[in-house]
Amino acid sequence: MMKILSLHEFDVPSSDELATVALIEDVLHYCEYENLTDELQPFFKYVREYPEISITPDILATRETAHTICADDLFLPVHDSIFKKLASICREKGFIEAVCLAASAEPQEVTPILHWIATRLKWILDIMDKGIYQKEILPTSGSGSIADIVHTRDWETSLIRCLSWHPHCTRLAVVTRDDRIRIFSQGISMIPILKHSAQKSVCCISWRPLAGKELAVACHVGVLVWTIELGAASNFLSQAVLLKQRNHAPVTSVAWHPQGDLLVSCSPVDTRMFIWDTSKKEGVPLKRIGGDGLCFVHWSSCGFRLFSATCKNIFRVWNTGAATSWHADKWTVPNDRVAVACFGPNLTLLFASNEDPGTIFSLPLQENIFDVKKPSFDDAKMAVPLIDLTKVNFSLDDDCVTVGGRITAMEWDPTGKYLAILFQDSPYIALVKTKLGHLSRLIEIKPSCLIKGYPGEVPNCMNFYQKYKNESDNIVCLTIAWNSGRIQHFPIIEKESVRTVNICTTPLSHSFSMRHDMYNFNLTVTY
């Protein structure tokens, strides 16, 4: 059994005013702010192709400039009668959606009697839904609030609320405090700015795999799926589709299946996840009672597992294999709730609760069906403690710096070699080196380095990007958003042979059943 890593084992960080800028062949590099773009710096050649980004308060939208313009504003709408709309909705989405539309219409449009009946029916349906699948209204601040759930430190006041790299190209989406999304792409000087009247309180964004220009956004009223046009007219030609369901808001997490054909969303006031057919604007709920609402969801890299964390101490791991109906394994943590989780290559899951101090656990989900040896205690599916997050104080000259405590975000790079940990009350990001063995199980974990910014900077959010330059040079980049508005690309360079990552594939068509309901997805992947 592996030794539990303690934060005491990290080297004492530098006491000067330089920021850590790169880890090259296990050597940590520092740099002054004025020299970040100096081509003579040893790290610069590794970040030259990445966009240079700095967000300042003056570029955020003001009340006068917050008017939303999207592609729908450029075309005249088609006005159908309310009864034609009701018939169409009833035929395509069912009787309940038709009732909701009639209840939201003006009484004169649908006649006062029909409106009265529709509003009463909707009231009864809402009571039933809230009694079974919903929890009380979210608090505006403190424990259980959106700011407490999301994986961004100081989400309410941060200049940058979240960021996400595209899995297949050098394209970075950045969400700012004004809920606008800016797209930075290699080789394209124009920066599209995505804005929509429904795009409020953005918590999470996710690029669609195997499609270059589609982005899902979790926001207050539902899910926006953008189709982005890059170029001079991008602000006007980019289009957004709004996906929403009754009692499924605010949405705090969205995630695409690795094959790009399924989109899942969750809300902390709803115990149901929704699997979306984005082309039809339809969602099918995955229903489970218990554990309160859902905080966030994650797919495994092979698409065979779907992780969902509730607002209580329950989390579930769904088996989403194409050959069987979807079903969930239920797990619990001793205290509080799961705060962060991530999948490595294949089916190794890391997670930690939001207690202070917490512990990061590993949960192997692999099953070696060809191993005929007798099962042993080590083969049991049980969570193994990996990293103790108890706070550690480092003395730096006349100052003292704390590392550890409550965890806010955790990212594992696609190769399973590096784990980045962001804390709620520490100005440092802890970078841990991990090694995977048979069936992609963790066999070694050791400290790498502590990443710090310039004086006064604390990290808000982060995301890994991996790029293969050639067969012998594999570059992993950790992109960090600091509270100053500076976005840093931290390259991690190892000179070694090509890594073999055990990534399994899954067909593009999926089927799953909940009770007696069957729903088949067979989407066309858009490039």
Side-chain angles (χ1 to χ4, degrees):
M1 188 172 181
M2 284 187 299
K3 174 187 173 184
I4 298 177
L5 176 67
S6 170
L7 298 178
H8 285 282
E9 300 178 40
F10 282 86
D11 292 335
V12 178
S14 171
S15 60
D16 52 35
E17 296 186 352
L18 304 179
T20 49
V21 292
L23 183 66
I24 303 176
E25 297 184 357
D26 292 328
V27 177
L28 199 58
H29 290 254
Y30 299 83
C31 183
E32 296 178 346
Y33 184 82
E34 294 77 13
N35 296 328
L36 285 177
T37 57
D38 186 355
E39 294 190 4
L40 298 179
Q41 293 290 333
F43 69 90
F44 186 79
K45 62 181 179 179
Y46 299 109
V47 298
R48 182 184 291 111
E49 297 178 351
Y50 298 122
E52 183 180 346
I53 308 169
S54 182
I55 304 297
T56 57
D58 57 287
I59 71 172
L60 302 185
T62 62
R63 184 170 301 188
E64 291 76 19
T65 62
H67 175 65
T68 296
I69 300 176
C70 58
D72 294 339
D73 298 325
L74 303 179
F75 303 94
L76 295 176
V78 177
H79 295 285
D80 290 329
S81 69
I82 187 64
F83 294 103
K84 187 175 181 180
K85 290 180 180 178
L86 287 172
S88 177
I89 291 293
C90 187
R91 180 176 63 253
E92 295 178 3
K93 297 186 177 181
F95 175 73
I96 293 178
E97 292 298 324
V99 169
C100 294
L101 177 61
S104 63
E106 294 294 330
Q108 310 87 271
E109 292 184 277
V110 293
T111 72
I113 295 177
L114 182 58
H115 185 267
W116 184 88
I117 296 173
T119 54
R120 270 43 180 191
L121 285 174
K122 184 177 183 298
W123 178 77
I124 294 173
L125 291 170
D126 286 344
I127 291 295
M128 294 174 61
D129 264 2
K130 290 180 180 179
I132 299 175
Y133 300 114
Q134 283 223 282
K135 60 167 283 185
E136 65 276 5
I137 297 174
L138 286 178
T140 55
S141 62
S143 178
S145 64
I146 292 179
D148 181 60
I149 290 172
V150 297
H151 298 148
T152 300
R153 175 174 173 170
D154 304 325
W155 175 82
E156 292 179 318
T157 59
S158 174
L159 287 173
I160 300 169
R161 285 191 161 173
C162 51
L163 48 82
S164 177
W165 278 106
H166 195 286
H168 308 308
C169 59
T170 311
R171 185 166 297 157
L172 179 66
V174 178
V175 181
T176 50
R177 192 172 59 207
D178 58 1
D179 290 314
R180 295 189 177 192
I181 303 174
R182 291 167 170 82
I183 309 298
F184 300 87
S185 301
Q186 179 183 2
I188 300 177
S189 58
M190 297 298 297
I191 303 174
I193 300 177
L194 308 180
K195 48 187 177 178
H196 194 281
S197 58
Q199 194 166 279
K200 304 295 182 184
S201 299
V202 176
C203 300
C204 176
I205 52 177
S206 178
W207 286 102
R208 183 175 184 176
L210 307 181
K213 303 177 184 179
E214 291 188 50
L215 181 71
V217 182
C219 48
H220 186 73
V221 297
V223 180
L224 280 169
V225 180
W226 283 94
T227 301
I228 304 163
E229 291 298 329
L230 303 174
S234 59
N235 289 354
F236 297 97
L237 297 182
S238 297
Q239 301 181 42
V241 174
L242 178 60
L243 309 175
K244 60 181 181 178
Q245 288 282 351
R246 288 185 314 113
N247 304 321
H248 189 69
V251 174
T252 54
S253 182
V254 289
W256 289 98
H257 187 277
Q259 293 293 336
D261 50 353
L262 306 180
L263 177 66
V264 60
S265 67
C266 72
S267 170
V269 298
D270 194 351
T271 63
R272 304 166 298 178
M273 290 187 298
F274 275 86
I275 307 295
W276 295 95
D277 180 341
T278 57
S279 62
K280 297 181 180 179
K281 302 182 185 180
E282 294 179 351
V284 175
L286 297 182
K287 304 174 183 178
R288 281 295 180 270
I289 299 175
D292 231 349
L294 300 177
C295 297
F296 63 92
V297 291
H298 284 309
W299 287 101
S300 66
S301 58
C302 63
F304 287 167
R305 296 292 187 276
L306 175 62
F307 176 93
S308 63
T310 72
C311 296
K312 290 187 177 179
N313 66 333
I314 295 174
F315 69 92
R316 294 182 174 89
V317 180
W318 290 79
N319 187 328
T320 60
T324 61
S325 298
W326 289 21
H327 60 276
D329 294 326
K330 181 179 176 181
W331 303 78
T332 59
V333 293
N335 300 303
D336 296 308
R337 62 172 176 84
V338 173
V340 293
C342 53
F343 282 99
N346 208 329
L347 293 174
T348 298
L349 173 69
L350 300 184
F351 68 92
S353 67
N354 67 337
E355 59 184 328
D356 185 5
T359 303
I360 295 178
F361 291 87
S362 170
L363 181 63
L365 302 173
Q366 306 91 337
E367 293 183 1
N368 188 2
I369 61 175
F370 300 105
D371 194 347
V372 296
K373 70 177 183 179
K374 294 182 179 180
S376 65
F377 178 78
D378 293 334
D379 295 327
K381 285 187 180 179
M382 52 191 305
V384 178
L386 292 180
I387 307 174
D388 181 8
L389 302 180
T390 301
K391 290 182 180 179
V392 176
N393 294 321
F394 292 100
S395 296
L396 304 176
D397 295 336
D398 297 330
D399 198 4
C400 183
V401 175
T402 299
V403 179
R406 180 176 173 180
I407 188 170
T408 297
M410 181 170 66
E411 293 277 339
W412 205 359
D413 89 282
T415 64
K417 293 283 289 185
Y418 291 94
L419 180 71
I421 307 168
L422 190 154
F423 302 98
Q424 180 61 38
D425 301 312
S426 175
Y428 291 80
I429 290 176
L431 188 66
V432 178
K433 195 168 185 178
T434 58
K435 184 177 181 180
L436 300 173
H438 182 58
L439 288 177
S440 296
R441 297 196 181 193
L442 273 169
I443 59 174
E444 185 180 4
I445 184 166
K446 59 184 180 180
S448 179
C449 66
L450 296 174
I451 303 173
K452 70 169 186 172
Y454 291 103
E457 286 188 332
V458 297
N460 289 128
C461 54
M462 58 187 180
N463 190 228
F464 268 112
Y465 174 72
Q466 183 184 0
K467 180 178 181 179
Y468 289 95
K469 291 191 68 175
N470 53 56
E471 292 186 355
S472 61
D473 195 0
N474 182 15
I475 299 177
V476 176
C477 176
L478 177 64
T479 297
I480 307 166
W482 299 91
N483 65 335
S484 62
R486 181 174 67 96
I487 292 182
Q488 175 187 2
H489 306 297
F490 185 88
I492 306 169
I493 312 301
E494 286 188 347
K495 298 290 185 179
E496 59 180 17
S497 58
V498 177
R499 299 172 187 166
T500 302
V501 181
N502 188 10
I503 301 294
C504 49
T505 58
T506 170
L508 290 181
S509 61
H510 301 257
S511 65
F512 61 91
S513 63
M514 298 306 303
R515 297 181 182 178
H516 299 292
D517 299 327
M518 292 294 297
Y519 196 91
N520 295 315
F521 288 89
N522 190 6
L523 309 183
T524 301
V525 177
T526 305
Y527 292 89

